[in-house]
Amino acid sequence: MTTTARAQGATIWLTGLPSAGKTTIARLLGDRLKGGGLRTEVLDGDEIRRFLSAGLGFSKEDRDTNVRRIGLVSEVLARNGVLSVVPVIAPYAVSRAAVRERHQRNGVPYIEVHVATPVEVCSERDVKGLYARQAAGELSGLTGVDDPYEPPVDPDLVLRTQEQTPRQSADAVYALLVERGLV
Ligand SMILES: Nc1ncnc2c1ncn2[C@@H]1O[C@H](COP(=O)(O)OS(=O)(=O)O)[C@@H](OP(=O)(O)O)[C@H]1O
Ligand SMILES: Nc1ncnc2c1ncn2[C@@H]1O[C@H](COP(=O)(O)OP(=O)(O)O)[C@@H](O)[C@H]1O
Protein backbone atom coordinates (compact mmCIF):
# COMPACT_ATOMS: atom_id res chain seq x y z
CA MET A 1 0.00 0.00 0.00
CA THR A 2 1.22 3.46 -0.80
CA THR A 3 1.37 5.75 2.18
CA THR A 4 -0.32 9.06 1.48
CA ALA A 5 -0.81 12.15 3.62
CA ARG A 6 -4.46 11.18 4.05
CA ALA A 7 -3.41 7.85 5.59
CA GLN A 8 -1.41 9.60 8.30
CA GLY A 9 -2.81 9.35 11.77
CA ALA A 10 -2.46 11.73 14.69
CA THR A 11 -3.45 12.18 18.29
CA ILE A 12 -5.64 15.22 18.89
CA TRP A 13 -5.79 15.72 22.66
CA LEU A 14 -8.48 18.01 24.06
CA THR A 15 -7.48 19.04 27.58
CA GLY A 16 -9.56 21.19 29.90
CA LEU A 17 -11.77 21.31 32.98
CA PRO A 18 -14.90 19.23 33.54
CA SER A 19 -17.74 20.73 31.43
CA ALA A 20 -15.25 22.74 29.36
CA GLY A 21 -16.62 21.16 26.16
CA LYS A 22 -14.06 18.43 25.41
CA THR A 23 -16.56 15.64 24.74
CA THR A 24 -18.92 17.79 22.71
CA ILE A 25 -16.12 19.07 20.48
CA ALA A 26 -14.55 15.60 20.15
CA ARG A 27 -17.84 14.10 18.98
CA LEU A 28 -18.52 16.86 16.45
CA LEU A 29 -14.97 16.69 15.15
CA GLY A 30 -15.08 12.88 15.06
CA ASP A 31 -18.30 12.92 13.05
CA ARG A 32 -16.85 15.39 10.59
CA LEU A 33 -13.66 13.38 10.13
CA LYS A 34 -15.58 10.11 9.74
CA GLY A 35 -17.99 11.80 7.35
CA GLY A 36 -14.97 12.71 5.24
CA GLY A 37 -14.00 9.04 5.06
CA LEU A 38 -11.06 9.34 7.45
CA ARG A 39 -10.21 6.61 9.94
CA THR A 40 -11.19 8.15 13.24
CA GLU A 41 -11.61 7.13 16.87
CA VAL A 42 -12.88 9.20 19.75
CA LEU A 43 -11.38 7.73 22.92
CA ASP A 44 -14.10 8.11 25.49
CA GLY A 45 -12.50 8.89 28.85
CA ASP A 46 -15.40 7.46 30.84
CA GLU A 47 -15.29 4.17 28.93
CA ILE A 48 -11.53 3.93 29.44
CA ARG A 49 -11.97 4.48 33.16
CA ARG A 50 -14.50 1.62 33.20
CA PHE A 51 -12.13 -0.83 31.48
CA LEU A 52 -8.49 -0.01 30.76
CA SER A 53 -8.19 2.23 33.82
CA ALA A 54 -10.70 0.40 36.04
CA GLY A 55 -9.77 0.84 39.69
CA LEU A 56 -7.98 4.15 39.18
CA GLY A 57 -9.24 7.17 41.09
CA PHE A 58 -8.44 10.86 40.89
CA SER A 59 -5.21 11.14 42.87
CA LYS A 60 -2.26 12.73 41.10
CA GLU A 61 -0.66 9.31 40.60
CA ASP A 62 -3.84 7.71 39.26
CA ARG A 63 -4.56 10.56 36.89
CA ASP A 64 -0.98 10.38 35.63
CA THR A 65 -1.29 6.63 35.05
CA ASN A 66 -4.64 7.11 33.32
CA VAL A 67 -3.29 9.79 30.99
CA ARG A 68 -0.16 7.80 30.10
CA ARG A 69 -2.25 4.70 29.32
CA ILE A 70 -4.62 6.66 27.12
CA GLY A 71 -1.60 8.29 25.50
CA LEU A 72 -0.18 4.91 24.58
CA VAL A 73 -3.46 3.62 23.14
CA SER A 74 -3.88 6.79 21.13
CA GLU A 75 -0.32 6.62 19.85
CA VAL A 76 -0.78 3.02 18.70
CA LEU A 77 -3.95 4.00 16.86
CA ALA A 78 -2.33 7.10 15.36
CA ARG A 79 0.73 5.26 14.09
CA ASN A 80 -1.66 2.93 12.29
CA GLY A 81 -3.29 5.76 10.40
CA VAL A 82 -6.12 6.66 12.74
CA LEU A 83 -7.06 10.20 13.74
CA SER A 84 -7.48 9.64 17.45
CA VAL A 85 -9.43 12.32 19.30
CA VAL A 86 -8.93 12.31 23.07
CA PRO A 87 -11.28 14.36 25.28
CA VAL A 88 -9.56 13.79 28.61
CA ILE A 89 -8.83 16.37 31.33
CA ALA A 90 -5.10 15.49 31.72
CA PRO A 91 -4.57 18.10 34.46
CA TYR A 92 -0.82 17.69 34.96
CA ALA A 93 1.77 19.18 32.63
CA VAL A 94 4.23 16.36 33.33
CA SER A 95 1.78 13.68 32.16
CA ARG A 96 0.90 15.60 29.00
CA ALA A 97 4.59 16.21 28.30
CA ALA A 98 5.32 12.48 28.65
CA VAL A 99 2.63 11.64 26.11
CA ARG A 100 3.80 14.35 23.72
CA GLU A 101 7.45 13.24 24.01
CA ARG A 102 6.59 9.60 23.26
CA HIS A 103 4.71 10.68 20.15
CA GLN A 104 7.59 12.89 19.04
CA ARG A 105 10.17 10.18 19.68
CA ASN A 106 8.17 7.80 17.52
CA GLY A 107 7.41 10.34 14.79
CA VAL A 108 3.66 10.35 15.45
CA PRO A 109 1.85 13.70 15.05
CA TYR A 110 0.48 15.09 18.30
CA ILE A 111 -1.84 18.08 18.56
CA GLU A 112 -2.69 19.61 21.92
CA VAL A 113 -5.89 21.65 22.11
CA HIS A 114 -6.61 23.59 25.26
CA VAL A 115 -10.36 23.82 25.76
CA ALA A 116 -9.84 26.89 27.88
CA THR A 117 -13.32 27.49 29.25
CA PRO A 118 -13.10 29.46 32.53
CA VAL A 119 -14.08 27.58 35.66
CA GLU A 120 -16.98 30.00 36.29
CA VAL A 121 -18.51 29.02 32.94
CA CYS A 122 -17.81 25.31 33.51
CA SER A 123 -19.48 25.39 36.90
CA GLU A 124 -22.54 27.08 35.37
CA ARG A 125 -22.74 24.36 32.71
CA ASP A 126 -22.07 21.60 35.24
CA VAL A 127 -23.07 18.87 32.79
CA LYS A 128 -22.58 16.02 35.29
CA GLY A 129 -23.46 17.94 38.45
CA LEU A 130 -19.91 17.64 39.82
CA TYR A 131 -19.50 21.33 40.67
CA ALA A 132 -22.77 21.29 42.63
CA ARG A 133 -21.70 18.15 44.45
CA GLN A 134 -18.34 19.71 45.31
CA ALA A 135 -20.08 22.88 46.58
CA ALA A 136 -22.41 20.73 48.69
CA GLY A 137 -19.42 18.97 50.24
CA GLU A 138 -20.32 15.63 48.66
CA LEU A 139 -17.17 15.43 46.52
CA SER A 140 -13.63 16.68 46.90
CA GLY A 141 -10.65 16.84 44.58
CA LEU A 142 -12.58 18.34 41.67
CA THR A 143 -10.23 19.55 38.96
CA GLY A 144 -10.08 23.33 38.77
CA VAL A 145 -11.86 23.81 42.11
CA ASP A 146 -10.02 21.97 44.88
CA ASP A 147 -7.63 19.96 42.72
CA PRO A 148 -4.99 21.32 40.33
CA TYR A 149 -5.31 22.03 36.64
CA GLU A 150 -2.04 23.12 35.07
CA PRO A 151 -2.94 24.97 31.85
CA PRO A 152 -0.84 24.08 28.81
CA VAL A 153 1.97 26.60 28.29
CA ASP A 154 2.31 26.18 24.54
CA PRO A 155 -0.75 24.39 23.13
CA ASP A 156 -1.29 24.05 19.39
CA LEU A 157 -4.70 25.67 19.75
CA VAL A 158 -6.69 27.45 22.47
CA LEU A 159 -10.49 27.36 22.33
CA ARG A 160 -12.50 29.99 24.18
CA THR A 161 -15.76 28.05 24.04
CA GLN A 162 -17.71 30.63 26.02
CA GLU A 163 -17.47 32.81 22.90
CA GLN A 164 -18.23 30.08 20.36
CA THR A 165 -20.85 27.54 19.39
CA PRO A 166 -19.75 23.91 19.67
CA ARG A 167 -19.70 23.75 15.86
CA GLN A 168 -17.34 26.74 15.67
CA SER A 169 -15.02 25.15 18.21
CA ALA A 170 -14.94 21.84 16.33
CA ASP A 171 -14.41 23.67 13.05
CA ALA A 172 -11.40 25.49 14.54
CA VAL A 173 -9.77 22.16 15.37
CA TYR A 174 -10.60 20.82 11.90
CA ALA A 175 -9.01 23.92 10.33
CA LEU A 176 -5.83 23.31 12.31
CA LEU A 177 -5.70 19.72 11.07
CA VAL A 178 -6.02 21.00 7.49
CA GLU A 179 -3.26 23.54 8.13
CA ARG A 180 -0.99 20.80 9.46
CA GLY A 181 -1.71 18.56 6.45
CA LEU A 182 -3.36 15.88 8.60
CA VAL A 183 -6.67 15.83 6.72
N1 LIG B 1 -12.67 14.66 41.21
C1 LIG B 1 -12.86 14.70 39.89
N2 LIG B 1 -12.14 15.56 39.13
C2 LIG B 1 -12.33 15.59 37.81
N3 LIG B 1 -13.21 14.81 37.14
C3 LIG B 1 -13.94 13.94 37.86
C4 LIG B 1 -13.79 13.84 39.26
N4 LIG B 1 -14.64 12.88 39.70
C5 LIG B 1 -15.28 12.41 38.63
N5 LIG B 1 -14.87 13.03 37.52
C6 LIG B 1 -15.36 12.69 36.16
O1 LIG B 1 -14.37 11.91 35.52
C7 LIG B 1 -14.00 12.51 34.29
C8 LIG B 1 -12.49 12.77 34.31
O2 LIG B 1 -11.84 11.70 33.85
P1 LIG B 1 -10.52 11.88 32.99
O3 LIG B 1 -10.07 10.49 32.71
O4 LIG B 1 -10.77 12.80 31.84
O5 LIG B 1 -9.58 12.67 34.04
S1 LIG B 1 -8.02 12.67 34.26
O6 LIG B 1 -7.37 13.13 33.03
O7 LIG B 1 -7.59 11.30 34.62
O8 LIG B 1 -7.83 13.63 35.37
C9 LIG B 1 -14.66 13.85 34.17
O9 LIG B 1 -15.24 13.91 32.89
P2 LIG B 1 -15.50 15.29 32.11
O10 LIG B 1 -16.52 16.02 32.95
O11 LIG B 1 -16.05 14.86 30.78
O12 LIG B 1 -14.23 16.04 31.99
C10 LIG B 1 -15.65 13.88 35.31
O13 LIG B 1 -16.94 13.72 34.83
N1 LIG C 1 -18.18 26.12 22.05
C1 LIG C 1 -18.55 25.06 22.76
N2 LIG C 1 -17.85 23.91 22.66
C2 LIG C 1 -18.20 22.84 23.38
N3 LIG C 1 -19.25 22.79 24.25
C3 LIG C 1 -19.98 23.92 24.40
C4 LIG C 1 -19.67 25.09 23.67
N4 LIG C 1 -20.56 26.04 24.01
C5 LIG C 1 -21.40 25.48 24.90
N5 LIG C 1 -21.06 24.20 25.13
C6 LIG C 1 -21.79 23.28 26.04
O1 LIG C 1 -20.95 22.95 27.14
C7 LIG C 1 -21.18 21.63 27.57
C8 LIG C 1 -19.86 20.88 27.57
O2 LIG C 1 -20.05 19.57 28.05
P1 LIG C 1 -19.01 18.40 27.74
O3 LIG C 1 -18.66 18.42 26.29
O4 LIG C 1 -19.58 17.14 28.29
O5 LIG C 1 -17.74 18.86 28.58
P2 LIG C 1 -16.47 18.01 29.05
O6 LIG C 1 -16.37 16.79 28.17
O7 LIG C 1 -15.32 18.95 28.88
O8 LIG C 1 -16.73 17.66 30.48
C9 LIG C 1 -22.22 21.02 26.64
O9 LIG C 1 -23.51 21.13 27.22
C10 LIG C 1 -22.13 21.93 25.40
O10 LIG C 1 -23.32 22.01 24.67
Side-chain angles (χ1 to χ4, degrees):
M1 191 185 93
T2 313
T3 304
T4 66
R6 290 181 70 80
Q8 190 180 20
T11 290
I12 302 119
W13 197 297
L14 304 171
T15 170
L17 299 176
S19 292
K22 305 178 298 295
T23 309
T24 303
I25 296 165
R27 289 191 182 143
L28 285 171
L29 177 66
D31 288 347
R32 182 164 181 189
L33 294 170
K34 280 180 207 158
L38 297 165
R39 296 173 68 194
T40 305
E41 277 293 335
V42 176
L43 294 182
D44 179 331
D46 290 336
E47 194 177 22
I48 285 173
R49 275 186 171 273
R50 272 199 303 279
F51 295 99
L52 183 66
S53 288
L56 293 184
F58 293 92
S59 66
K60 182 169 199 244
E61 293 69 27
D62 282 4
R63 290 181 196 256
D64 181 64
T65 302
N66 182 43
V67 166
R68 287 175 194 249
R69 283 182 189 169
I70 295 169
L72 177 63
V73 171
S74 186
E75 186 186 326
V76 169
L77 288 169
R79 75 170 180 246
N80 284 284
V82 176
L83 292 166
S84 174
V85 187
V86 186
V88 168
I89 299 176
Y92 294 106
V94 67
S95 321
R96 295 192 303 262
V99 173
R100 178 191 283 276
E101 276 156 24
R102 264 199 66 111
H103 278 73
Q104 285 173 342
R105 221 171 29 246
N106 296 321
V108 181
Y110 180 83
I111 305 277
E112 184 173 79
V113 178
H114 183 196
V115 186
T117 316
V119 69
E120 299 75 28
V121 177
C122 294
S123 64
E124 276 284 309
R125 290 180 181 168
D126 204 8
V127 178
K128 295 180 182 166
L130 295 173
Y131 292 90
R133 284 178 55 205
Q134 193 280 335
E138 296 165 12
L139 179 150
S140 63
L142 181 61
T143 304
V145 181
D146 59 351
D147 213 55
Y149 179 77
E150 298 169 359
V153 176
D154 189 23
D156 296 279
L157 183 66
V158 178
L159 295 176
R160 299 172 55 80
T161 73
Q162 71 277 20
E163 297 167 4
Q164 297 176 322
T165 63
R167 167 69 59 202
Q168 286 171 328
S169 299
D171 285 352
V173 184
Y174 187 87
L176 177 66
L177 299 181
V178 172
E179 192 186 306
R180 298 282 171 93
L182 293 167
V183 299

